[in-house]
Amino acid sequence: MNLDTREPTLFLSGDITVKSIDSAAYRQFEQACTPAAIQTLDLEGVGAADSACISLLLAGLRIKNGHLTLTNLPASVSALAELYEINEWVAP
């Protein structure tokens, strides 16, 4: 996973899967979400994504107290959100 900040947006790219996200990547994501200026997560550059991506999105929403816009969700993430019945939390 790669992170690129261009306020007010945090851009995520690369694979966000159980195999690609470790505790260091998770901490890096949390730190990148923390600044008050970050208001949007853009996932346009994300390749493969699974439940680890859902976990990151929920962590971002928690950090921002639900005040975070999610854009360009991969179809796999949207499908998982629907399966987990949390699509109203992560749907743009």
Side-chain angles (χ1 to χ4, degrees), residues 15-89:
D15 292 345
I16 303 178
T17 65
V18 172
K19 291 182 180 181
S20 67
I21 301 297
D22 58 15
S23 59
Y26 183 81
R27 282 191 305 278
Q28 181 185 17
F29 173 79
E30 285 186 317
Q31 290 174 351
C33 282
T34 301
I38 297 300
Q39 300 172 5
T40 303
L41 289 181
D42 188 312
L43 286 80
E44 184 174 15
V46 172
D50 63 14
S51 59
C53 188
I54 293 283
S55 179
L56 285 182
L57 297 180
L58 293 176
L61 288 166
R62 178 185 46 81
I63 290 166
K64 300 306 245 179
N65 294 315
H67 301 291
L68 187 65
T69 301
L70 307 175
T71 61
N72 298 311
L73 294 178
S76 59
V77 172
S78 295
L80 285 173
E82 187 172 335
L83 177 69
Y84 298 154
E85 297 182 354
I86 59 168
N87 50 330
E88 66 275 0
W89 296 348

